[in-house]
Structures are given as C-alpha cells and as structure tokens.
Amino acid sequence: MPLADPTPGGYFGDFGGLFVPETLVPACLELEQAFRSAWADKAFRRDLDSLLTDYAGRPSPLTSCERLSRELGVAVMLKREDLNHTGSHKINNVLGQALLAKRMGKTRLVAETGAGQHGVATATAAALMGLECVVYMGEIDMHRQELNVFRMRLLGSEVRSATTGSRTLKDAINEAMRDWVASVESTHYCLGSVMGPHPYPWMVRTLHEVIGREAREQCAARLNGDGCDGLPDVVAACVGGGSNAIGIFSGFAGTRTELVGVEPAGGAALNRGAPGVVHGSKSFLLQDEWGQVREAESISAGLDYPGVGPEHSALASAGLARYEVVTDEQVIDAFVLLSKTEGIIPALEPAHALAWVVRDRDLLAGKTVLVNLSGRGDKDVGQMIELLR
Amino acid sequence: MNGTLEVALRSKRDRGQKLLVPYVTGGLGPDWLDVVRAVADAGADAVEVGIPFSDPVMDGPIIQQASEQALAARTTPQSILRALREGDSGVPLAVMTYYNVCFRMGHRRFAESLREAGVSAAILPDLPLEEVGPWAEVADQVGVESVMLAAPTASDARLRRVCERSRGFVYAVGLLGVTGVRAELAGSALVIARRAKAVTDKPVLVGVGVSTPEQAREACAEADGVVVGSVLVRRMLDGGGPAGAADLIGSFRAALDGSA
Ligand SMILES: Cc1ncc(COP(=O)(O)O)c(C=O)c1O
C-alpha cells in the first residue's frame, strides 16, 4: 500500500490545502495540471530519468555501516543521498521542477533555501537548463552557510537576503512568495520541500519517491539471509519540511517497517506545535496563542523551520509514522561519530536521524535501521569548526 | 441581506461619490486609534485596521515593518479589538489579517469578537475561494462581511465567482505584487476594476499600489473607490501622527471629490 494521494483540493486528511493570495491561485492550479500531464508523458519521464542517472549520479548506494553497527549494537544502513550531484537529496526534486518549468514556458526560477542545499541544487538546474534564477536566503543562514552562498553565485544565480523576522528559512519563504506574487507570469517557484500550497507537497513527494523505490530494492537484495524478509525494521529520516523523509518513507509505507521522522528540539512542529496555516498549507506549526508563528532555533539551517509538510501531520495523526526529537548536542555527537567510525561526514540535518539511533540504541538493539543520509557535511564544516572549538 | 459596510458604501456610491478606505496597522504606535479617528474625520468612508501577523506574505517592506513594530509592542488581536470597541470612529470598520489569526481563534470566536468590537468586515488575503467556505459560512451567520480579493490573474469565470462570494465590497488587487508605494498606477488596476464592475454591482475598490491622490483619481475612472495603505503607514512610521494622517487622507478625499 503506497502513501495515499491527496484529495483534489490537496488535503492529506485534515492537512494541506491551498492557502495563498488570490493572485497565485491560478498559477497553483495550472502547475497541478502541468505536473499531472508531464508525469503521464513518457518523454518527460525519460528526460528526467536520464538526468537523474547521467547528471545526478543515481541510483545512490546503500551502505551498511559495520563499525558503527558494532559500536551501537544496531545494524545501521545508510541511503547515500549525500553522494548525489550537489551533495544532497534536493537535486531529485529540483531537476523535475526545472524540467517542468521549461515545459510550462517559464524563463525564471525563484527558490528559498535554508542550509543552501536546495538553493545550490536550484542554481545548478538553472545553469544546466539556461534559466534565470534568484534564491532567497535568511541573513543568518547566509552567514552560517557562506560556502553555499558562494556556490550559488558561482553557478550564475542571484542570492538575495531575507532581512525580516527570524532571518532564516521561514523568512526566505516569505520573500520567495512575495517575489512570485509579482513575477508569476514568467516565473516558476521551485519550492524545496513537501510543503507550501497544493500541488507542492504532493508533487515534491512524487519527485522524491525515487529514494524510497531504490532503497526498497536495495534492502531486498541486501537483507536476504535466513529469516530475512528484505525489509529493515525501521526507516529513519530527519524532518525539516519533510521531503527526504517522505521520499524514503514512500518505499516502505504499508509494510511492517516502522517509519520514524526526527525533528530538531528547536523546530519540533509535530511534537510541540499545533495545527495552523502558514506558507500555503494547514499543518502542525510552532505558534503562540494568537497564531503568531514562533521562530525556530536549531544549529541546522535546513531544519530551522517552525512548520512541517502537511503529509507528515497526516501521517502523525493517523499513527502511520512516529516523530522523535533530538537536541543540538546529540546531533553534534552523532556528526562526529559517523565521521570517525565510517569515514562519512554527514550534513547536520541527517545527523539528527543518526542522533536518534544513537540515543535510542538500547531500544533498537538487534534491529536493522535504514537512515536516509540526505546530504554531506562539507557545507557544515565551517560551522563545526566554531562549535567544536 | 447586505451588511453594514456594503450598505454604507453602496449608498454613497449610488449618490455618485467615490469611496476612500484607508488602511491603518493596528497597534502601530500608542496613537494608532487616534489615527483611525483622524482619517475617519478627514473623509474616509470606512477604515481597514490591520491585525499584524508574523508572516505577512501579501505585504511589502512598509507594512512588514509596521507589523513587526506593532508585534514587538505586544499587540494582539484582542488588544486591537478591545481598543476598537471602546473608540468609536463613526465609520464602518474592516479588519485585515492573515488566516492563521482567525483559524487559531476559531471561526466562530473570531467572527463574534469582531461583531462585539463593532467591526463589520474581515479581509483575509491568504484565504482564497478554494478555502474560504467554512469561514464564510460562519461569517455569514454571525453577520461579518468577508471581503474577497480579485486579482489580475483570475479568469472571467473565476472573477465572477470571487465577486459573488465577496461581501462588503470587492477588493480589486491593482497589480501583480505585494503592498507598497509605487511611482505610477499600474495599467492592470484599471483593467481589473473594469472587469470586476462588468460582473458585479457590489462596490469595487482598487487596492495595492495606490500611492497618491492623483493615482486614486485615475483608478476611480473605472473603480468605485480605493484602499490606501502603504503610503499612510509610511507616514505613521515617520511619526506623522493623527494630524499627518488626516492631512494625507484629506488630500485623497479632495482629489476624489474633484476639488483638488
Ligand atoms: C541535507 C539536507 N537534509 C534535509 C534537509 C531538510 O529538508 P527536508 O526535511 O525537506 O528533507 C535539508 C534542507 O536544507 C538538507 O540540506
């Protein structure tokens, strides 16, 4: 049983919808139609598949972590999205959306970015396909992810800082939406996670399902000994907006595998929020008693967000997935541990998923856990130099 | 049955008057309520009071800054509505805020607290036709007029549905973009006003990007009136106070009345 599709209005259970200024509604409806038709078109799918293979380097490997597993008493496997071109899972979504933008006759992309991985992926696709590109990034994130700012500019994109509010991902999304309200005729908003108005949560999920499809096959091949059914006991992934998580969950939905999303303590919308509406959809949200959105606070720029994609709210409410919370300190330890035991420097975002495995290793003893290693840590090294000093 | 705001606007329009609705960010400065009264006295036909929201995606830098300042001064929906209930301005009032403020309070409680505060209408710019149903039903029951926005990107069929669902007036978005001060009136302002007027006899007001008395008069070649926001809020941010606000709105009034 795969993940359920949303209703025609874009709802997953009680969550989702289309809460955007009137100006953008026709563009969202048009986008949905365009994506449906592209997805049903063999030529579009072939173009996307060859980009994913020949340009982005898919399929990404599945790595069994021998030393880490021995140390934890938990069999840990990693889905290596860090090895994709541009260094994270974000490229899967972006190549699909950029192809779609071209097909729709758009000449310009706008995007928001937190850690800069989605921004770099979008800038990359724009360079590849000859599209103009503007990326909005919070002023604080531009500082802590300086390397990615340089990469985006090198790739020919303009990076504009969001200087209001918390000056992080939330405010970058506000700026990108404001840009889109003014530029909707020429511009596609290349949203970076399974959030925002319909059809984004569904479209972005669809573009990331490749992670789950590959991982399911790889697990079937790898976990084939005596008494094995080819499934890991648990799949774990970090959750900011939730795109890498939903991508890998999609391969295991409806099986016995337990789905676990991991939120940062400073941005745990599902664990510490309440239903609300911001950035185009209804979902769990960190907010005060009057509905003002609270500022998230996480060392990981990619997870520093007070909301979460609506499908995760639906999965949590239906008990189909479980969401855990880890602290910044636990994340830093996991970042170091994976580097030292496996020779893999993870991004701070997927280090959250690892941190949960490390923390709950006694509960997980003897189990097989597949972690989505959504990105590599190069971008975080500068920040870690400060943190580990 | 038409609500207070629509009745007031219609009767003035039907007498040949052009309509002027200034926007004031609630909680901006200690004298914001005096600004509301001052613009009413200076000739506003209704006043739109903003309940500030943390993430105002339809607003440009001026109203963003005003919202941040008002929130930093601990403004809440409750503090604004309490002030409005006590300070009678003598003209119909609308609040403008984002949907999460209404959703969080609950549709019925939000509608009832508007009515208790003497507010006739609500404008929720991130609640389009697709999502407005549950709120609009409660608003209709409670007697709060839910104003819809009509944008240049709407098809004729969609525009007709937007106008049908709108109460109070139809808020015609004058340009592709967010609120802010513009040097010229966009051509799209006249087009959207004309298109909306062709499908509804509700009052049609152009807002977003109406920044000078001349632009207001220009827009009213097609529209029944204008909403004036950023330029007034700019004056409040600059310390213009009630007198400065009255001055500005007085000049819009004079332009619309043809005596400028
Ligand atoms: C490597 C990596 N993983 C995860 C995320 C969080 O996004 P999502 O929750 O949509 O996967 C980011 C965002 O910047 C990222 O760079």
Side-chain angles (χ1 to χ4, degrees), chain A residues 1-6 12 202 205-206 209 245-254 259 311-312 315 320-321:
Chain A
M1 187 181 58
L3 291 173
D5 278 341
F12 300 90
W202 166 71
R205 177 189 94 191
T206 304
E209 282 177 2
I246 212 82
I248 198 156
F249 286 1
S250 72
F252 300 89
L259 309 178
E311 191 171 7
H312 287 290
L315 292 175
L320 294 172

Side-chain angles (χ1 to χ4, degrees), chain A residues 81-82 87-90 113-119 148 169 192-195 204 208 237-246 262 300-304 308-309 312 346-351 372-377 379-380:
Chain A
E81 293 297 298
D82 61 318
S88 80
H89 70 294
K90 300 283 182 187
T113 197
Q117 289 303 102
H118 174 62
N148 275 341
L169 181 55
S193 192
V194 284
M195 37 178 279
V204 175
H208 278 304
C238 65
V239 176
S243 65
N244 87 89
I246 212 82
V262 184
S300 149
L303 306 182
D304 205 349
V308 64
H312 287 290
L348 281 170
E349 291 78 19
N372 196 8
L373 197 74
S374 56
R376 65 176 180 233
K379 70 182 175 62
D380 299 316

Side-chain angles (χ1 to χ4, degrees), chain A residues 58-89:
Chain A
R58 302 208 70 89
S60 68
L62 185 77
T63 300
S64 299
C65 298
E66 304 228 335
R67 295 192 61 216
L68 180 67
S69 298
R70 215 175 307 131
E71 172 138 358
L72 298 178
V74 180
V76 179
M77 297 186 302
L78 303 176
K79 179 62 175 160
R80 299 294 303 280
E81 293 297 298
D82 61 318
L83 294 178
N84 296 336
H85 181 45
T86 70
S88 80
H89 70 294

